[in-house]
Amino acid sequence: MSTSRVATRVRRIKPSPSTSAADRANELRRQGKSIVNLVVGEPDFDTPAHIRRAAALAMDNGATRYTLMAGTVELRQAIVAKLQRDSGLDYALNEIIATAGAKSAIYSAFAITLEPGDEVIIPAPYWVSYPDMTLACDGKPVIVACPEESGFKLTASQLEAAITPRTRWLLINSPSNPTGAAYTLVEYRALADVLIRHPHVMVMTDDIYEHIRFDGRRTVHFLEAAPELRDCTLVINSLSKTYAMTGWRIGYVAGPRDLVQALDTLLSQSAGNCCSISQAAAVAALSGDQGFVEESVAIYKQRRDATLARINAIPGLSCRVPDGAFYLYVGCAGLIGKRTSDGRVLERDSDVVMYLLDSVGVAVVAGTAYGLSPYFRLSIATSIEILEEGCKRIARAVAELH
């Protein structure tokens, strides 16, 4: 098909790098190659039984029809209670809307607010979809590199320097994909002091990893540090990571009434309401036994600690300890400039990633996909046995460089 048949807003974006990497790994596996896939950011646990039972009961009781566009009253009540319980945030039912995952929420929020040329400040490293969703909605991604020396976090001076009259959004993800970095109350307050001087800038918080923390601390929300910015902040979250519900496609937005109403209007003419069965399951997840969350985080921490030790023991690789999420963002500057056994020079992190895949069958994602190099991301959301095997293979591949 000629690209002229495809709209410009689609031609300016690219497929998700993490999805493409996963597809390549799966294709090699289908070809019979031994592949250790450390790409996918998806819990390897089953959705907890009480959540599955709630979905089955909803089906048996006939809850298989359209719901209110914003979501069932029961779900929105559960979201209101969760926000108050976890972060002390108060929202009314008409300030909540359920969406088909956090990705849909972020894209739709850009769609209702961005005019051509409006800017979105995106701290790097970032989740791979943020810039392309901005472009797809005719906006301009403003990437601000946040180096490892600053904990992979945006500083107040960087934010001040990035804001222009066209800035529409600051997008914050904490704990972060891919680095696991989490902002503190003090760090948020410093950012808020800048934003108060620029009232035209709104804040979008992607809180999808809030409960996956390894340092024993509760994840502080931006609005806890800056309650006066409530009217220009959209809170976005999902049940995918916390409750191992990736396939259920259920997320939500909390925010000012005018923005939530605009989301309701857009989604009513595009995606429609979320799956009714997923909504019933989400009520059980948010309102029921939270034991699974604590148990799964303990397992992720064991995996993080073991994998971190193995990676940091490999010459040429280094990794900062992540506060949360389930990724390691591995620095590979020590491998740049080295040669493979067939004479190829590793000039960038994407070369390192392809070398690991081709030589020892380990699939990871290059830091270029996340806006900060030279790094690669590996997911610890898989068994300790697979992680150990992956680390052994990476160590073998690195040892063969010269």
Side-chain angles (χ1 to χ4, degrees), residues 246-267:
T246 51
W248 298 78
R249 306 311 304 140
I250 190 80
Y252 58 88
V253 179
R257 175 63 183 148
D258 62 326
L259 294 183
V260 171
Q261 181 57 56
L263 284 169
D264 190 293
T265 300
L266 175 67
L267 291 170

Side-chain angles (χ1 to χ4, degrees), residues 335-363:
L335 303 187
I336 303 301
K338 294 200 171 187
R339 292 181 179 274
T340 66
S341 58
D342 60 1
R344 287 179 294 137
V345 177
L346 304 180
E347 297 180 348
R348 54 188 68 87
D349 54 21
S350 56
D351 296 332
V352 172
V353 166
M354 290 308 300
Y355 169 66
L356 294 178
L357 183 60
D358 292 339
S359 65
V360 293
V362 174

Side-chain angles (χ1 to χ4, degrees), residues 28 46 49 151 204 228-229 262-263 328 345 361 389 395:
L28 290 172
D46 290 332
M204 191 182 302
E228 67 270 41
L229 294 179
L263 284 169
L328 298 185
V345 177
E389 177 62 21

